[in-house]
Amino acid sequence: MTGKSPGSGPTVFARCLRLAREHVFVLGYLVVVAGLVVWAYVVSASDGSDGSMAGVIPLLATVPGSLVPLLLLPDGAEMFLVAVVFGALFNALVIGWCARALRRGGKGYDSVS
């Protein structure tokens, strides 16, 4: 016995961390998104006008995963950050799954004769 309950598995966050460690594309994507978020906050904070559109760039980098929380959550800088983080983690999972499938090639499928 391992002492774990039968339904306890790795969480989504733990899976994203494992994918980032295993796949360079996932890690690169997450680094780019983090850089875009930092850049957007710096530009928005230093911009004197009230119409900075720098926040659109990180949001576009995390579409389609960021659209669901962005549309459901109330407005605000914190909710924008939640939407971008959710979208980045969702897209990182998809990138990791694609990288794993491409690395595996056709080995995982049985051919039907």
Side-chain angles (χ1 to χ4, degrees), residues 1 16-17 19-21 26 37 43-44 48 53 56 58 60 67-68 77-78 82 87 89 92-93 111:
M1 294 290 212
C16 283
L17 288 177
L19 281 172
R21 192 178 62 228
V26 174
V37 168
V43 168
S44 295
M53 294 292 290
V56 174
L60 288 176
L67 287 181
V68 173
E78 301 85 19
V82 167
L89 291 177
L93 281 174
S111 62

Side-chain angles (χ1 to χ4, degrees), residues 27-38:
L27 183 61
Y29 174 75
L30 291 175
V31 166
V32 167
V33 169
L36 288 173
V37 168
V38 169

Side-chain angles (χ1 to χ4, degrees), residues 4-86:
K4 285 185 170 181
S5 63
S8 68
T11 62
V12 174
F13 186 71
R15 266 188 247 154
C16 283
L17 288 177
R18 189 180 73 227
L19 281 172
R21 192 178 62 228
E22 292 175 358
H23 301 291
V24 69
F25 295 117
V26 174
L27 183 61
Y29 174 75
L30 291 175
V31 166
V32 167
V33 169
L36 288 173
V37 168
V38 169
W39 171 79
Y41 274 113
V42 167
V43 168
S44 295
S46 65
D47 192 15
S49 67
D50 52 315
S52 177
M53 294 292 290
V56 174
I57 303 299
L59 197 61
L60 288 176
T62 58
V63 168
S66 62
L67 287 181
V68 173
L70 185 68
L71 295 175
L72 296 178
L73 295 174
D75 292 337
E78 301 85 19
M79 297 306 142
F80 167 77
L81 188 61
V82 167
V84 170
V85 167
F86 179 80

Side-chain angles (χ1 to χ4, degrees), residues 100-109:
R100 189 175 350 149
L102 288 172
R103 185 183 321 145
R104 184 175 50 215
K107 299 175 190 171
Y109 300 103

